[in-house]
Each structure stands twice: as structure tokens, then as C-alpha cells.
Amino acid sequence: SQKIEQNSEALNIQEGKTATLTCNYTNYSPAYLQWYRQDPGRGPVFLLLIRENEKEKRKERLKVTFDTTLKQSLFHITASQPADSATYLCALVPDSNYQLIWGAGTKLIIKP
Amino acid sequence: DGGITQSPKYLFRKEGQNVTLSCEQNLNHDAMYWYRQDPGQGLRLIYYSQIVNDFQKGDIAEGYSVSREKKESFPLTVTSAQKNPTAFYLCASSPGETQYFGPGTRLLVL
């Protein structure tokens, strides 16, 4: 079956360290993959998009990698801050119709 | 101030009652989506519309209905046929690849 998986356990990181979140998928060949941030009781907010022919994408303290051989995307936050605490969702587009398939998200907690 | 709005923030449904969730956008996006979010699960697509007067069922459309009479508006009705409606409902619009979400409506059953 087709699946997209994120670590369901919360990730606790000390402030200033790099946080790394994982998104694994099976039985898809996605055209691109996206990462969103969701705060409690609010809608997700788009962060980054990476295409199948791109290995890495950066935006300020954020970095996303995409390994189509491993069927995995990694999301990094460098110099993490307590304000980065949120749930991070990955979503992939399996074909060209722009419908997203969503992971359940990983809760990130940055401790001061 | 452009954006996407949803109302109400909280909605209570009595058994056997239909309720309608509002979603409005002024971003001039053609595509609009309704998702349901339950704890520990990814967003699940209920309905989507890529153009006015046209919409398609998503993965969990049973017990829900929508309309798309205007580009700006995409209301979702939760019918009495939806036996487990308690969830957080999210509306999104999109110009293409990325999606822009509203603040959500939390539906609770009395």
C-alpha cells in the first residue's frame, strides 16, 4: 500500500542545536514534496518545496533534502529556537494534479 | 489584507442535524480544498474544486457535501449521514503547487 510516514514521537531538542525531522514514503514516485508548519489549533503554513530532481533546498535556517532512491526527505532547522516548537508536516504530490498526500506530522519541542 | 477565512471557529452539532462550515478566500485562487484532521493522522481530503461550478470527491467524501458557486467561497456541509463528525476541519486554497490554509473549524457533537 502507499504510505507516507513521519516519526509520531515528539522530538525534543536543546535550543541552539540542529533539529532533523524525517519523512519516509513507499510506493510513490512524487513529482515534489513539501514541508509545512502547524501550530496548535491553527492551519498549516507552507515552508519549503523540493522537486524530484533537486537534492537540497534552503531557506534561512531551514534545509530540506530529498533522496528518491531512499524514498526519504529530511527537514533540518539549524540554530533552533523555542519559537520553532510546532508540528511539522510533510506532504507529497504523487502526480501532476496537485493533490497532496499528507504525513501525520512530527511534534518538535525546542527546550531553552 | 489577503487571506483565507473560516467560520465559525467552534461548531456544535446535535444528532441528526446538518451543519455548514464557511470558507472564503480573497487570494484569487482557482483551487480550493476541504480536509479533515484527526489526532495522530495526516490531513484527509474530503472534497476539492479546481474551478467554479465544479468539484470532486476526495478520499472521505461520504457524509459531506460542498458547493462552489463563487470563486471566493467553498462551503462544506456535514450531513447527518456522517456518523463521526468530531474533528478539526481545514479549508485551503491554491494557485498551483502550494496550499494556503484557513484557521480551521473545530466541530463537536453534543
Side-chain angles (χ1 to χ4, degrees):
Chain A
S1 64
Q2 298 174 316
K3 288 195 300 185
I4 178 168
E5 292 183 332
Q6 296 184 255
N7 195 335
S8 59
E9 293 185 10
L11 182 63
N12 288 275
I13 299 292
Q14 197 67 37
E15 181 178 7
K17 301 292 186 182
T18 296
T20 299
L21 286 71
T22 303
C23 178
N24 294 301
Y25 59 93
T26 58
N27 297 329
Y28 288 113
S29 295
Y32 53 85
L33 189 146
Q34 303 182 27
W35 284 87
Y36 289 73
R37 169 183 172 141
Q38 186 176 25
D39 290 287
R42 307 189 73 167
V45 175
F46 170 74
L47 296 174
L48 281 168
L49 179 153
I50 187 164
R51 302 185 189 281
E52 60 179 337
N53 61 349
E54 296 175 318
K55 296 293 185 186
E56 181 179 297
K57 201 75 156 301
R58 292 176 183 261
K59 178 184 175 182
E60 299 173 350
R61 294 184 296 111
L62 309 180
K63 183 178 83 171
V64 172
T65 62
F66 194 12
D67 189 324
T68 55
T69 301
L70 293 178
K71 294 188 181 294
Q72 181 181 79
S73 176
L74 298 178
F75 177 81
H76 307 272
I77 305 176
T78 60
S80 59
Q81 305 166 1
D84 295 325
S85 298
T87 295
Y88 291 86
L89 310 174
C90 72
L92 60 82
V93 174
D95 50 42
S96 61
N97 69 4
Y98 298 142
Q99 287 186 53
L100 294 175
I101 309 298
W102 295 83
T106 297
K107 184 175 183 178
L108 176 64
I109 301 169
I110 307 297
K111 298 180 178 180
Chain B
D1 190 20
I4 181 165
T5 59
Q6 291 184 242
S7 63
K9 187 173 178 63
Y10 296 95
L11 186 57
F12 297 91
R13 193 191 90 162
K14 296 179 181 178
E15 192 171 340
Q17 185 182 41
N18 292 352
V19 292
T20 297
L21 285 62
S22 169
C23 178
E24 303 279 333
Q25 56 102 358
N26 61 4
L27 300 169
N28 200 35
H29 292 165
D30 285 318
M32 296 187 75
Y33 304 82
W34 272 106
Y35 293 97
R36 170 179 172 141
Q37 187 174 36
D38 294 281
Q41 296 191 41
L43 276 65
R44 292 185 290 168
L45 184 64
I46 304 173
Y47 268 98
Y48 66 101
S49 168
Q50 298 197 341
I51 198 167
V52 175
N53 293 321
D54 188 47
F55 50 83
Q56 282 77 42
K57 294 182 179 180
D59 300 321
I60 56 166
E62 186 175 350
Y64 301 96
S65 66
V66 294
S67 63
R68 187 84 187 277
E69 297 176 1
K70 298 188 298 182
K71 188 175 186 176
E72 301 80 16
S73 179
F74 192 39
L76 173 74
T77 296
V78 183
T79 74
S80 58
Q82 172 50 243
K83 298 307 180 188
N84 184 25
T86 297
F88 189 48
Y89 290 86
L90 287 160
C91 179
S93 69
S94 176
E97 295 176 332
T98 59
Q99 295 190 5
Y100 297 79
F101 285 84
T105 292
R106 191 166 297 280
L107 177 60
L108 301 166
V109 177
L110 294 177

mmCIF file of all heavy atoms in Angstrom, chain A residues 43-70:
data_model
loop_
_atom_site.group_PDB
_atom_site.id
_atom_site.type_symbol
_atom_site.label_atom_id
_atom_site.label_comp_id
_atom_site.label_asym_id
_atom_site.label_seq_id
_atom_site.Cartn_x
_atom_site.Cartn_y
_atom_site.Cartn_z
ATOM 1 N N GLY A 43 -4.157 26.421 11.171
ATOM 2 C CA GLY A 43 -3.916 25.752 9.908
ATOM 3 C C GLY A 43 -2.434 25.666 9.588
ATOM 4 O O GLY A 43 -1.635 26.478 10.060
ATOM 5 N N PRO A 44 -2.029 24.674 8.786
ATOM 6 C CA PRO A 44 -0.624 24.560 8.384
ATOM 7 C C PRO A 44 -0.180 25.759 7.553
ATOM 8 O O PRO A 44 -0.980 26.380 6.847
ATOM 9 C CB PRO A 44 -0.603 23.285 7.534
ATOM 10 C CG PRO A 44 -1.816 22.517 7.951
ATOM 11 C CD PRO A 44 -2.840 23.554 8.290
ATOM 12 N N VAL A 45 1.121 26.044 7.647
ATOM 13 C CA VAL A 45 1.730 27.131 6.879
ATOM 14 C C VAL A 45 2.861 26.550 6.044
ATOM 15 O O VAL A 45 3.736 25.844 6.571
ATOM 16 C CB VAL A 45 2.278 28.228 7.810
ATOM 17 C CG1 VAL A 45 3.021 29.285 7.018
ATOM 18 C CG2 VAL A 45 1.139 28.864 8.605
ATOM 19 N N PHE A 46 2.859 26.841 4.759
ATOM 20 C CA PHE A 46 3.872 26.323 3.845
ATOM 21 C C PHE A 46 5.265 26.852 4.193
ATOM 22 O O PHE A 46 5.442 28.042 4.483
ATOM 23 C CB PHE A 46 3.513 26.728 2.413
ATOM 24 C CG PHE A 46 4.610 26.460 1.421
ATOM 25 C CD1 PHE A 46 4.883 25.167 1.007
ATOM 26 C CD2 PHE A 46 5.382 27.490 0.926
ATOM 27 C CE1 PHE A 46 5.899 24.909 0.102
ATOM 28 C CE2 PHE A 46 6.396 27.257 0.022
ATOM 29 C CZ PHE A 46 6.661 25.967 -0.395
ATOM 30 N N LEU A 47 6.258 25.936 4.149
ATOM 31 C CA LEU A 47 7.642 26.323 4.414
ATOM 32 C C LEU A 47 8.524 26.166 3.177
ATOM 33 O O LEU A 47 9.152 27.123 2.726
ATOM 34 C CB LEU A 47 8.207 25.475 5.560
ATOM 35 C CG LEU A 47 7.549 25.656 6.927
ATOM 36 C CD1 LEU A 47 8.114 24.652 7.909
ATOM 37 C CD2 LEU A 47 7.705 27.077 7.440
ATOM 38 N N LEU A 48 8.611 24.950 2.661
ATOM 39 C CA LEU A 48 9.548 24.667 1.565
ATOM 40 C C LEU A 48 8.968 23.610 0.642
ATOM 41 O O LEU A 48 8.239 22.717 1.071
ATOM 42 C CB LEU A 48 10.888 24.152 2.116
ATOM 43 C CG LEU A 48 11.868 25.182 2.683
ATOM 44 C CD1 LEU A 48 12.985 24.471 3.432
ATOM 45 C CD2 LEU A 48 12.449 26.051 1.581
ATOM 46 N N LEU A 49 9.365 23.703 -0.622
ATOM 47 C CA LEU A 49 9.020 22.703 -1.636
ATOM 48 C C LEU A 49 10.311 22.237 -2.286
ATOM 49 O O LEU A 49 11.174 23.062 -2.609
ATOM 50 C CB LEU A 49 8.085 23.323 -2.673
ATOM 51 C CG LEU A 49 7.598 22.451 -3.850
ATOM 52 C CD1 LEU A 49 6.254 22.965 -4.338
ATOM 53 C CD2 LEU A 49 8.599 22.416 -4.990
ATOM 54 N N ILE A 50 10.453 20.929 -2.485
ATOM 55 C CA ILE A 50 11.625 20.392 -3.166
ATOM 56 C C ILE A 50 11.152 19.430 -4.246
ATOM 57 O O ILE A 50 10.271 18.601 -4.017
ATOM 58 C CB ILE A 50 12.594 19.715 -2.161
ATOM 59 C CG1 ILE A 50 13.895 19.303 -2.864
ATOM 60 C CG2 ILE A 50 11.944 18.554 -1.431
ATOM 61 C CD1 ILE A 50 15.029 18.990 -1.900
ATOM 62 N N ARG A 51 11.736 19.554 -5.425
ATOM 63 C CA ARG A 51 11.320 18.743 -6.564
ATOM 64 C C ARG A 51 12.171 17.472 -6.668
ATOM 65 O O ARG A 51 13.257 17.397 -6.098
ATOM 66 C CB ARG A 51 11.423 19.547 -7.854
ATOM 67 C CG ARG A 51 10.607 20.802 -7.816
ATOM 68 C CD ARG A 51 10.595 21.569 -9.110
ATOM 69 N NE ARG A 51 9.951 22.865 -8.912
ATOM 70 C CZ ARG A 51 8.638 23.043 -8.856
ATOM 71 N NH1 ARG A 51 7.831 22.020 -9.004
ATOM 72 N NH2 ARG A 51 8.138 24.244 -8.665
ATOM 73 N N GLU A 52 11.706 16.540 -7.456
ATOM 74 C CA GLU A 52 12.361 15.224 -7.538
ATOM 75 C C GLU A 52 13.773 15.319 -8.102
ATOM 76 O O GLU A 52 14.608 14.466 -7.824
ATOM 77 C CB GLU A 52 11.520 14.273 -8.388
ATOM 78 C CG GLU A 52 11.286 14.738 -9.810
ATOM 79 C CD GLU A 52 10.455 13.737 -10.604
ATOM 80 O OE1 GLU A 52 10.421 12.551 -10.248
ATOM 81 O OE2 GLU A 52 9.830 14.169 -11.587
ATOM 82 N N ASN A 53 14.056 16.369 -8.888
ATOM 83 C CA ASN A 53 15.389 16.500 -9.480
ATOM 84 C C ASN A 53 16.308 17.409 -8.643
ATOM 85 O O ASN A 53 17.418 17.726 -9.062
ATOM 86 C CB ASN A 53 15.296 17.032 -10.901
ATOM 87 C CG ASN A 53 14.653 18.415 -10.968
ATOM 88 O OD1 ASN A 53 14.094 18.880 -9.979
ATOM 89 N ND2 ASN A 53 14.742 19.057 -12.107
ATOM 90 N N GLU A 54 15.846 17.797 -7.457
ATOM 91 C CA GLU A 54 16.640 18.629 -6.563
ATOM 92 C C GLU A 54 17.082 17.786 -5.366
ATOM 93 O O GLU A 54 16.304 17.028 -4.804
ATOM 94 C CB GLU A 54 15.818 19.820 -6.058
ATOM 95 C CG GLU A 54 15.400 20.777 -7.169
ATOM 96 C CD GLU A 54 14.492 21.891 -6.655
ATOM 97 O OE1 GLU A 54 13.587 21.596 -5.836
ATOM 98 O OE2 GLU A 54 14.685 23.048 -7.086
ATOM 99 N N LYS A 55 18.326 17.937 -4.960
ATOM 100 C CA LYS A 55 18.840 17.189 -3.814
ATOM 101 C C LYS A 55 18.620 17.952 -2.512
ATOM 102 O O LYS A 55 18.435 17.359 -1.454
ATOM 103 C CB LYS A 55 20.330 16.923 -3.998
ATOM 104 C CG LYS A 55 20.652 16.034 -5.175
ATOM 105 C CD LYS A 55 20.140 14.622 -4.962
ATOM 106 C CE LYS A 55 20.569 13.708 -6.079
ATOM 107 N NZ LYS A 55 19.971 12.366 -5.962
ATOM 108 N N GLU A 56 18.678 19.279 -2.606
ATOM 109 C CA GLU A 56 18.668 20.081 -1.383
ATOM 110 C C GLU A 56 18.025 21.441 -1.675
ATOM 111 O O GLU A 56 18.162 21.985 -2.780
ATOM 112 C CB GLU A 56 20.114 20.269 -0.914
ATOM 113 C CG GLU A 56 20.292 21.060 0.353
ATOM 114 C CD GLU A 56 21.760 21.161 0.720
ATOM 115 O OE1 GLU A 56 22.386 20.108 0.984
ATOM 116 O OE2 GLU A 56 22.280 22.289 0.742
ATOM 117 N N LYS A 57 17.334 21.984 -0.677
ATOM 118 C CA LYS A 57 16.744 23.324 -0.777
ATOM 119 C C LYS A 57 16.925 24.019 0.555
ATOM 120 O O LYS A 57 16.753 23.394 1.613
ATOM 121 C CB LYS A 57 15.245 23.191 -1.088
ATOM 122 C CG LYS A 57 14.585 24.410 -1.714
ATOM 123 C CD LYS A 57 14.970 24.501 -3.121
ATOM 124 C CE LYS A 57 14.098 25.231 -4.074
ATOM 125 N NZ LYS A 57 12.748 24.748 -4.210
ATOM 126 N N ARG A 58 17.267 25.309 0.524
ATOM 127 C CA ARG A 58 17.487 26.048 1.760
ATOM 128 C C ARG A 58 16.637 27.317 1.798
ATOM 129 O O ARG A 58 16.365 27.925 0.772
ATOM 130 C CB ARG A 58 18.952 26.443 1.889
ATOM 131 C CG ARG A 58 19.905 25.295 2.103
ATOM 132 C CD ARG A 58 21.353 25.794 2.132
ATOM 133 N NE ARG A 58 22.294 24.683 2.256
ATOM 134 C CZ ARG A 58 22.854 24.308 3.400
ATOM 135 N NH1 ARG A 58 22.578 24.949 4.518
ATOM 136 N NH2 ARG A 58 23.704 23.293 3.431
ATOM 137 N N LYS A 59 16.268 27.687 3.018
ATOM 138 C CA LYS A 59 15.575 28.957 3.238
ATOM 139 C C LYS A 59 15.918 29.407 4.655
ATOM 140 O O LYS A 59 15.457 28.828 5.630
ATOM 141 C CB LYS A 59 14.070 28.799 3.082
ATOM 142 C CG LYS A 59 13.274 30.062 3.346
ATOM 143 C CD LYS A 59 11.778 29.772 3.249
ATOM 144 C CE LYS A 59 10.951 30.979 3.621
ATOM 145 N NZ LYS A 59 9.502 30.670 3.568
ATOM 146 N N GLU A 60 16.780 30.395 4.747
ATOM 147 C CA GLU A 60 17.218 30.903 6.050
ATOM 148 C C GLU A 60 17.780 29.754 6.887
ATOM 149 O O GLU A 60 18.745 29.106 6.491
ATOM 150 C CB GLU A 60 16.074 31.645 6.735
ATOM 151 C CG GLU A 60 15.611 32.853 5.912
ATOM 152 C CD GLU A 60 14.377 33.522 6.467
ATOM 153 O OE1 GLU A 60 13.735 32.962 7.381
ATOM 154 O OE2 GLU A 60 14.040 34.599 5.990
ATOM 155 N N ARG A 61 17.199 29.450 8.043
ATOM 156 C CA ARG A 61 17.724 28.381 8.897
ATOM 157 C C ARG A 61 17.168 26.997 8.540
ATOM 158 O O ARG A 61 17.466 26.013 9.213
ATOM 159 C CB ARG A 61 17.399 28.687 10.362
ATOM 160 C CG ARG A 61 18.107 29.923 10.905
ATOM 161 C CD ARG A 61 17.832 30.136 12.401
ATOM 162 N NE ARG A 61 16.423 30.400 12.669
ATOM 163 C CZ ARG A 61 15.612 29.558 13.297
ATOM 164 N NH1 ARG A 61 16.051 28.391 13.741
ATOM 165 N NH2 ARG A 61 14.342 29.887 13.514
ATOM 166 N N LEU A 62 16.384 26.925 7.495
ATOM 167 C CA LEU A 62 15.737 25.677 7.118
ATOM 168 C C LEU A 62 16.461 25.040 5.933
ATOM 169 O O LEU A 62 16.929 25.733 5.028
ATOM 170 C CB LEU A 62 14.281 25.912 6.740
ATOM 171 C CG LEU A 62 13.411 26.695 7.717
ATOM 172 C CD1 LEU A 62 11.996 26.826 7.172
ATOM 173 C CD2 LEU A 62 13.422 26.048 9.088
ATOM 174 N N LYS A 63 16.544 23.706 5.969
ATOM 175 C CA LYS A 63 17.113 22.970 4.846
ATOM 176 C C LYS A 63 16.334 21.681 4.657
ATOM 177 O O LYS A 63 15.990 20.998 5.625
ATOM 178 C CB LYS A 63 18.576 22.623 5.093
ATOM 179 C CG LYS A 63 19.247 21.921 3.905
ATOM 180 C CD LYS A 63 20.721 21.628 4.164
ATOM 181 C CE LYS A 63 20.915 20.361 4.951
ATOM 182 N NZ LYS A 63 22.359 19.957 5.015
ATOM 183 N N VAL A 64 16.005 21.377 3.414
ATOM 184 C CA VAL A 64 15.300 20.142 3.086
ATOM 185 C C VAL A 64 16.139 19.362 2.092
ATOM 186 O O VAL A 64 16.697 19.935 1.155
ATOM 187 C CB VAL A 64 13.914 20.442 2.473
ATOM 188 C CG1 VAL A 64 13.281 19.162 1.945
ATOM 189 C CG2 VAL A 64 13.008 21.090 3.481
ATOM 190 N N THR A 65 16.224 18.050 2.300
ATOM 191 C CA THR A 65 16.853 17.172 1.323
ATOM 192 C C THR A 65 15.826 16.166 0.828
ATOM 193 O O THR A 65 14.824 15.888 1.507
ATOM 194 C CB THR A 65 18.053 16.434 1.923
ATOM 195 O OG1 THR A 65 17.606 15.601 2.998
ATOM 196 C CG2 THR A 65 19.102 17.407 2.413
ATOM 197 N N PHE A 66 16.084 15.629 -0.338
ATOM 198 C CA PHE A 66 15.139 14.718 -0.991
ATOM 199 C C PHE A 66 15.936 13.616 -1.671
ATOM 200 O O PHE A 66 16.688 13.883 -2.610
ATOM 201 C CB PHE A 66 14.312 15.513 -2.008
ATOM 202 C CG PHE A 66 13.088 14.818 -2.534
ATOM 203 C CD1 PHE A 66 12.600 13.662 -1.967
ATOM 204 C CD2 PHE A 66 12.404 15.365 -3.609
ATOM 205 C CE1 PHE A 66 11.449 13.046 -2.451
ATOM 206 C CE2 PHE A 66 11.249 14.763 -4.101
ATOM 207 C CZ PHE A 66 10.770 13.612 -3.528
ATOM 208 N N ASP A 67 15.807 12.397 -1.159
ATOM 209 C CA ASP A 67 16.523 11.259 -1.728
ATOM 210 C C ASP A 67 15.484 10.298 -2.309
ATOM 211 O O ASP A 67 14.829 9.570 -1.569
ATOM 212 C CB ASP A 67 17.350 10.568 -0.640
ATOM 213 C CG ASP A 67 18.293 9.517 -1.205
ATOM 214 O OD1 ASP A 67 17.907 8.842 -2.191
ATOM 215 O OD2 ASP A 67 19.392 9.367 -0.674
ATOM 216 N N THR A 68 15.349 10.327 -3.644
ATOM 217 C CA THR A 68 14.319 9.499 -4.283
ATOM 218 C C THR A 68 14.695 8.018 -4.288
ATOM 219 O O THR A 68 13.813 7.177 -4.470
ATOM 220 C CB THR A 68 14.049 9.978 -5.716
ATOM 221 O OG1 THR A 68 15.282 9.989 -6.426
ATOM 222 C CG2 THR A 68 13.457 11.367 -5.724
ATOM 223 N N THR A 69 15.984 7.723 -4.091
ATOM 224 C CA THR A 69 16.406 6.317 -4.006
ATOM 225 C C THR A 69 15.997 5.729 -2.660
ATOM 226 O O THR A 69 15.440 4.633 -2.588
ATOM 227 C CB THR A 69 17.923 6.194 -4.205
ATOM 228 O OG1 THR A 69 18.265 6.735 -5.474
ATOM 229 C CG2 THR A 69 18.365 4.742 -4.122
ATOM 230 N N LEU A 70 16.264 6.470 -1.594
ATOM 231 C CA LEU A 70 15.866 6.043 -0.248
ATOM 232 C C LEU A 70 14.389 6.290 0.014
ATOM 233 O O LEU A 70 13.845 5.803 1.001
ATOM 234 C CB LEU A 70 16.699 6.783 0.799
ATOM 235 C CG LEU A 70 18.182 6.476 0.872
ATOM 236 C CD1 LEU A 70 18.851 7.337 1.935
ATOM 237 C CD2 LEU A 70 18.411 4.996 1.172
#
